[in-house]
Amino acid sequence: MPWRLLGQARHTARQHPDSMGRDANDTRTRTFLNPCMRTPVGLKSNPQTRPFVTQPRHAASVPTSGEQVATTADFVTQPRHAASVLRLTVLIAAHNEEQSIGATLDSVLAQERLADRIVVAADNCTDATAQIARSKRVRSARPFLVHETVDNTHKKSGALNQAWALTRADTDLFICIDADTVLPPGALRDWEAEFVQDDEIAGCSAKFTMLSAQEMSGLAKDSIVPMTAGEFPALTFRERMWCRIQKAEFAKWTDTALARKGRWTSVLAGTACAIRASALEDVVAQRVERGEEAHPWVYTSEVEDFELTYRLRELGYVCRVSADVRAYTGAMLTLKTLWAQRLKWQVGTVRELKSIGVNRLTVIDWWQQFLGMVSALLRVSWVALFVFAILVSGHVHLLRFWWIFPVVFVVCDVREAWRMPHRTKADLLTSALLFPQEAFAWLRAAWFAWSWVEVLTGRKVDRWALQIAAESK
């Protein structure tokens, strides 16, 4: 199948509706050329009377072994939201998240635009995650399923695939969020609006802000997040410092993404994103044609969100960062957990890029890898030259204008901190001190170098297992 022509087919259908066998003013649903898209784009039917029907499953995407199909009895049902246009399903994959799953679900249940269905995939949990989720289900009276994964050895990807299989037939838009992420009340409404306005969007990632428990408590008092989000244990000074550094890092990532033309992104972050269901079906059909397993999230990658985003873009879809939706999530609070998380991300990204190669969709990602390695090399070279100069000459001679560079670094960091949402005086002070950001830059250089050595030497490490182990201690 000519997958790269998929986007052109949709464009032709919009520009020449007669070619699809209907008049341009016909208000009935128009179906595009792609046979995998069971939910047509550009619906003009009345959303208030549109039935909650199960459409025929695509022949190439029958559930794989272990997958289940949800029935009406599996859910606590309720009529669809009166103002809804698309059928929204929230997917939450959770592994031992008893401390945060309650706040995450409260934020979903408090949305101005209510979800049509909610699925919590409790994956091999040994704590009270599933029980807490069920208690929210009983109290909410929303379409809600707590699914404890069956024989899942594929961690988050397996949990998401099982949850997706349960609701794929009755969903137009999947909202995927982590179990330690909370959304402001307008998130689902704003996501839906973006997809209704542009039918070429396959996925839309949220803007992320990492907050400490104390900062989250402040947002809860201002009714930006549910009150349960403000009940997390207070963090120590060191933990708050780790949080501030990552808060600044993600603020820079968001600014960079929003500055791009079309706000495009190469990764729909699994922390919080929305993905069109019909686009996932296209990915599944493409995988089947290539002889791969029939599910959206692969089991062979440490960065399943990056791999899925690439497949969507390969099909001609648009993936972007939302200008309106913001998500609040937790940070890694120790060096050990941060190292495990970032090394998993970086090793997984390098492996995917090495497998895909250089093309128009990956050239920016390769450039970012190049810049990361250059940064690591410059830092190591600077220290080596400094030590060599001391050993040779016996003293240090600083040039007259040596201080210009650190001042420029501080100004840039403070500028970024000033632009951060929910900034505090501590955020500005941390950026002005230079040392915390420079120390974090050395950490980044270390995991960039480590990841490339690991991939190029062919070393095989279960990075998922190492991250889970680090976070469980």
Side-chain angles (χ1 to χ4, degrees):
M1 182 179 292
W3 297 106
R4 294 181 182 277
L5 299 179
L6 182 61
Q8 298 177 15
R10 288 195 297 272
H11 179 75
T12 301
R14 289 195 302 275
Q15 297 298 321
H16 304 286
D18 291 336
S19 67
M20 301 303 296
R22 297 192 185 276
D23 183 78
N25 296 319
D26 194 339
T27 58
R28 292 172 291 178
T29 300
R30 293 200 296 272
T31 307
F32 295 130
L33 295 175
N34 180 12
C36 305
M37 297 177 67
R38 296 171 303 167
T39 304
V41 180
L43 290 170
K44 291 192 176 181
S45 58
N46 186 345
Q48 299 185 33
T49 60
R50 180 169 153 202
F52 219 149
V53 297
T54 301
Q55 303 181 33
R57 303 178 65 83
H58 191 275
S61 51
V62 177
T64 56
S65 177
E67 291 182 352
Q68 306 174 40
V69 179
T71 64
T72 305
D74 292 320
F75 291 89
V76 178
T77 58
Q78 181 169 318
R80 297 185 64 216
H81 194 268
S84 64
V85 175
L86 304 176
R87 296 171 296 177
L88 268 62
T89 295
V90 174
L91 300 184
I92 304 173
H95 173 73
N96 290 346
E97 299 283 3
E98 63 180 4
Q99 288 190 341
S100 58
I101 186 65
T104 298
L105 287 171
D106 285 341
S107 75
V108 172
L109 295 169
Q111 290 295 303
E112 296 170 4
R113 193 289 193 207
L114 297 175
D116 294 296
R117 300 208 171 187
I118 302 169
V119 180
V120 176
D123 181 41
N124 297 315
C125 294
T126 57
D127 63 1
T129 298
Q131 293 89 326
I132 293 172
R134 288 193 182 96
S135 71
K136 299 294 181 182
R137 175 188 184 223
V138 171
R139 293 202 302 264
S140 71
R142 294 300 302 158
F144 201 137
L145 173 67
V146 179
H147 169 68
E148 297 191 63
T149 56
V150 179
D151 299 326
N152 178 38
T153 59
H154 301 293
K155 303 179 177 66
K156 185 178 180 180
S157 292
L160 286 172
N161 283 328
Q162 289 191 21
W164 163 79
L166 293 171
T167 54
R168 59 189 294 196
D170 295 310
T171 301
D172 298 322
L173 187 64
F174 284 103
I175 308 296
C176 305
I177 62 175
D178 280 348
D180 62 349
T181 299
V182 294
L183 302 173
L188 267 59
R189 176 202 63 208
D190 293 338
W191 256 324
E192 181 180 42
E194 290 207 43
F195 281 82
V196 170
Q197 291 168 7
D198 189 346
D199 56 32
E200 287 192 353
I201 299 178
C204 187
S205 185
K207 300 177 290 187
F208 305 111
T209 298
M210 292 184 171
L211 299 178
S212 66
Q214 290 88 328
E215 291 173 305
M216 198 75 81
S217 178
L219 294 189
K221 292 177 182 178
D222 293 336
S223 300
I224 297 175
V225 297
M227 290 303 298
T228 48
E231 298 173 357
F232 296 120
L235 303 183
T236 65
F237 173 80
R238 182 181 299 178
E239 291 171 334
R240 293 198 302 274
M241 181 62 73
W242 282 117
C243 189
R244 290 187 199 107
I245 293 173
Q246 293 166 77
K247 180 181 178 182
E249 177 195 22
F250 273 76
K252 293 176 184 178
W253 179 88
T254 300
D255 271 354
T256 300
L258 294 178
R260 298 190 191 115
K261 184 178 179 181
R263 308 192 309 275
W264 70 269
T265 181
S266 61
V267 56
L268 296 169
T271 308
C273 68
I275 308 177
R276 197 182 296 276
S278 56
L280 290 180
E281 294 297 333
D282 288 344
V283 170
V284 171
Q286 183 195 53
R287 294 198 196 284
V288 170
E289 185 160 298
R290 291 176 172 177
E292 302 170 4
E293 294 184 79
H295 42 64
W297 289 274
V298 296
Y299 300 146
T300 55
S301 175
E302 293 97 338
V303 283
E304 73 290 333
D305 46 5
F306 178 85
E307 194 276 343
L308 176 59
T309 307
Y310 176 79
R311 298 306 167 193
L312 291 167
R313 295 173 67 209
E314 185 182 36
L315 290 172
Y317 282 108
V318 174
C319 297
R320 66 174 50 151
V321 175
S322 174
D324 301 311
V325 180
R326 183 171 296 281
Y328 302 98
T329 190
M332 296 293 105
L333 302 179
T334 67
L335 175 59
K336 185 175 183 179
T337 57
L338 177 66
W339 178 263
Q341 181 197 61
R342 299 312 172 86
L343 204 56
K344 178 178 77 71
W345 289 356
Q346 174 62 12
V347 168
T349 300
V350 171
R351 283 181 178 153
E352 287 299 323
L353 290 176
K354 186 172 177 288
S355 173
I356 295 168
V358 181
N359 58 44
R360 63 181 182 85
L361 297 179
T362 62
V363 63
I364 298 298
D365 298 291
W366 278 105
W367 176 247
Q368 291 172 343
Q369 293 296 316
F370 172 75
L371 291 180
M373 291 304 297
V374 167
S375 175
L377 181 61
L378 288 176
R379 280 179 162 78
V380 172
S381 298
W382 183 85
V383 171
L385 290 173
F386 188 79
V387 172
F388 178 76
I390 292 177
L391 293 176
V392 171
S393 64
H395 67 279
V396 177
H397 176 68
L398 297 176
L399 297 177
R400 181 177 300 178
F401 299 109
W402 67 269
W403 48 267
I404 291 179
F405 294 104
V407 168
V408 170
F409 295 155
V410 167
V411 169
C412 290
D413 288 340
V414 171
R415 176 180 173 274
E416 290 290 343
W418 187 263
R419 291 170 53 84
M420 283 194 301
H422 312 296
R423 68 177 182 273
T424 64
K425 293 179 181 178
D427 292 324
L428 296 173
L429 179 60
T430 300
S431 63
L433 289 177
L434 180 64
F435 175 76
Q437 294 294 345
E438 185 60 21
F440 188 69
W442 275 95
L443 269 178
R444 283 175 55 87
W447 66 59
F448 261 88
W450 188 299
S451 64
W452 274 100
V453 170
E454 182 171 313
V455 172
L456 293 178
T457 58
R459 186 181 178 212
K460 299 294 183 181
V461 178
D462 188 346
R463 290 290 165 194
W464 264 113
L466 289 177
Q467 181 180 345
I468 293 173
E471 292 182 21
S472 64
K473 295 180 179 179

